[in-house]
Amino acid sequence: MSRFFFVHTMIHTTVPIILASQSPRRSQLLKQIGITFSVHPSGIHEEIDTTSSFIENVKRLSLHKAEDIANRCSKGIIVGSDTIVVIDQSVLGKPNSQENAINMLKKLSGKTHTVYTGFALVDVQTKKTYIDHDQTEVTFRDLHDDEIISYVTTGSPMDKAGAYGIQDDFGAVFIKKINGDYYTVVGLPLSKFYTALKNFVAELGYSKGNI
Amino acid sequence: MSRFFFVHTMIHTTVPIILASQSPRRSQLLKQIGITFSVHPSGIHEEIDTTSSFIENVKRLSLHKAEDIANRCSKGIIVGSDTIVVIDQSVLGKPNSQENAINMLKKLSGKTHTVYTGFALVDVQTKKTYIDHDQTEVTFRDLHDDEIISYVTTGSPMDKAGAYGIQDDFGAVFIKKINGDYYTVVGLPLSKFYTALKNFVAELGYSKGNI
């Protein structure tokens, strides 16, 4: 059934699709919606500009990552993306120690925060770009200290902004509710992204038997 | 890492945990949060009582399913659960034909509906019960007819209330946003369920090294 399924969902293109991100979650999501792609992580340093909004930040960083790779390729559609976690108007990055991860999770416990994910599509040949973003509110239940410590001990929070993964087993039992696209929290707003990529490919005349 | 992980999350009990549901999604969710259990699907016919609320219906059906199995066991904690999909005050069941599935998806397209999931815990020996529910709003983007037909052709919608699975690849790209627990839509509100089961087990004195 899985074979049959992919025949119907895959976006087929006449040019390569290149993901400018080293996030294994984003690769997994592109695979999930049946896209054939390669990975070339951008070397762009993720710097938040505190004079512009969170939305402008994720859109700008997504575009910078995509353009960084576009400048090194001769053809293809480059996908850039950036995610930030914001609580009480401050950005939580990736934790730099287990203690830092524990403090982030204590901050998130029992409260609602917002996850912003931007994405950019850049066509290398025409320089045409498409940029969008999505945001989702995430509400944690009250966490016990022993739950936080057990989670941090697994190592999973260490490479994730805000020190959690919504798709982790712990994420599943920590999160009381979300308001928005689940996949925006994982790392790419799949519903918006799929439609945007399909239209982008069609407008450029790169389609090859899509639905 | 996965091994290490489960050591920390598993709810260990001195009595068996039995899932009174044949839903492969519910089995998968219990596995995901590290619970050891067996499956004994209840024979209860799922009948909606139109004189009571949607919430009362999913709670009553969850309890009936758990009690049905409890009556046939000598010990253990029985987990019953029921999910309904409601749009414009009417319940969408499992589709009985491909045409029916197509009509359901056309009805959901571009609109918000509500998914109600109840769950019940019954301890066979003490007859103690715990019942709760959760509800999540799901908003579909506008779907194209060819997307709907492609999805129905995969066969996946046929065993699912409302003719879709949020965890399906198509579900991921059809759903614009949700408001509530993602797992309530999959078939069991994991955050509420995990806390409820942990407390239920502790209160009955069945704990064996839980977090």
Side-chain angles (χ1 to χ4, degrees), chain B residues 135-162:
Chain B
Q135 65 196 66
T136 295
E137 289 172 2
V138 179
T139 305
F140 271 50
R141 66 167 166 82
D142 288 320
L143 307 182
H144 297 287
D145 285 355
D146 56 357
E147 292 177 315
I148 291 176
I149 291 164
S150 294
Y151 183 30
V152 171
T153 309
T154 66
S156 177
M158 302 313 291
D159 71 332
K160 297 182 181 82

Side-chain angles (χ1 to χ4, degrees), chain B residues 12-80:
Chain B
H12 295 275
T13 56
T14 55
V15 296
I17 293 176
I18 298 163
L19 176 62
S21 165
Q22 63 187 352
S23 156
R25 270 93 55 199
R26 292 202 181 101
S27 281
Q28 184 51 44
L29 293 179
L30 289 193
K31 275 181 210 152
Q32 183 178 330
I33 58 171
I35 291 169
T36 305
F37 63 99
S38 57
V39 178
H40 293 275
S42 152
I44 291 289
H45 181 61
E46 304 178 29
E47 191 94 34
I48 302 290
D49 171 7
T50 52
T51 65
S52 65
S53 71
F54 300 125
I55 295 171
E56 284 164 349
N57 266 287
V58 290
K59 288 168 82 168
R60 178 180 50 82
L61 288 169
S62 300
L63 182 61
H64 282 187
K65 289 176 183 177
E67 283 177 337
D68 177 43
I69 301 304
N71 290 336
R72 300 187 240 161
C73 297
S74 58
K75 69 172 181 173
I77 294 171
I78 318 296
V79 178

Side-chain angles (χ1 to χ4, degrees), chain A residues 22-93:
Chain A
Q22 63 187 350
S23 156
R25 271 92 54 199
R26 291 201 182 103
S27 281
Q28 183 52 44
L29 293 181
L30 289 193
K31 276 183 210 148
Q32 185 179 327
I33 58 170
I35 291 170
T36 305
F37 63 99
S38 57
V39 178
H40 293 275
S42 153
I44 291 289
H45 181 60
E46 304 179 27
E47 191 94 32
I48 301 291
D49 171 7
T50 53
T51 65
S52 64
S53 71
F54 300 123
I55 294 171
E56 284 162 351
N57 265 288
V58 290
K59 287 167 83 168
R60 179 180 50 82
L61 288 169
S62 300
L63 182 61
H64 281 187
K65 289 178 185 178
E67 282 176 338
D68 178 41
I69 301 305
N71 290 335
R72 298 189 242 159
C73 297
S74 59
K75 68 173 182 173
I77 294 171
I78 318 296
V79 178
S81 183
D82 192 70
T83 296
I84 61 173
V85 174
V86 177
I87 185 160
D88 299 336
Q89 291 301 306
S90 69
V91 175
L92 299 185

